Amino acid sequence: MNKQMRFNGPDYIPGRDDARLSTQYWDIYNLMRDGRFRTLQDISNITDHPPASVSAQLRHMRKTRFGSNTVTKAHIGGLYQYSLIINDQEL
């Protein structure tokens, strides 16, 4: 996948936000690429990114411009956990 990230949103300012959002994306992607299930808090604790940012980046991973990956969600042990299945077609 192209490492050039294309974020957007009403409060998004490229010069202010690109480096932070790209770092979050790649930290979370590189952790989750092993396909293991993790809670948002687990991912947050490992990557040191806030749970709300983790959730947003997992949503980005599903988008076409971010690789059309599959993010699965399962209710395990009383909590929702997420796993990433990488779309090999986009790599």
Side-chain angles (χ1 to χ4, degrees), residues 4-81:
Q4 177 71 21
M5 302 277 97
R6 290 184 321 154
F7 299 99
N8 62 359
D11 296 325
Y12 169 70
I13 299 171
R16 177 190 68 192
D17 299 324
D18 277 347
R20 175 179 54 84
L21 295 174
S22 294
T23 296
Q24 285 178 355
Y25 181 91
W26 288 113
D27 287 351
I28 295 163
Y29 178 89
N30 287 326
L31 171 66
M32 296 302 292
R33 68 183 301 138
D34 66 5
R36 292 181 52 201
F37 277 94
R38 294 178 177 90
T39 65
L40 294 177
Q41 190 62 56
D42 291 338
I43 300 166
S44 174
N45 290 343
I46 293 167
T47 63
D48 203 30
H49 299 301
S53 296
V54 170
S55 180
Q57 295 302 344
L58 290 173
R59 286 191 304 275
H60 282 135
M61 291 177 195
R62 293 181 172 120
K63 296 176 182 177
T64 302
R65 69 180 186 258
F66 291 93
S68 298
N69 300 294
T70 301
V71 178
T72 59
K73 176 172 125 175
H75 195 260
I76 302 170
L79 297 171
Y80 282 105
Q81 297 189 25

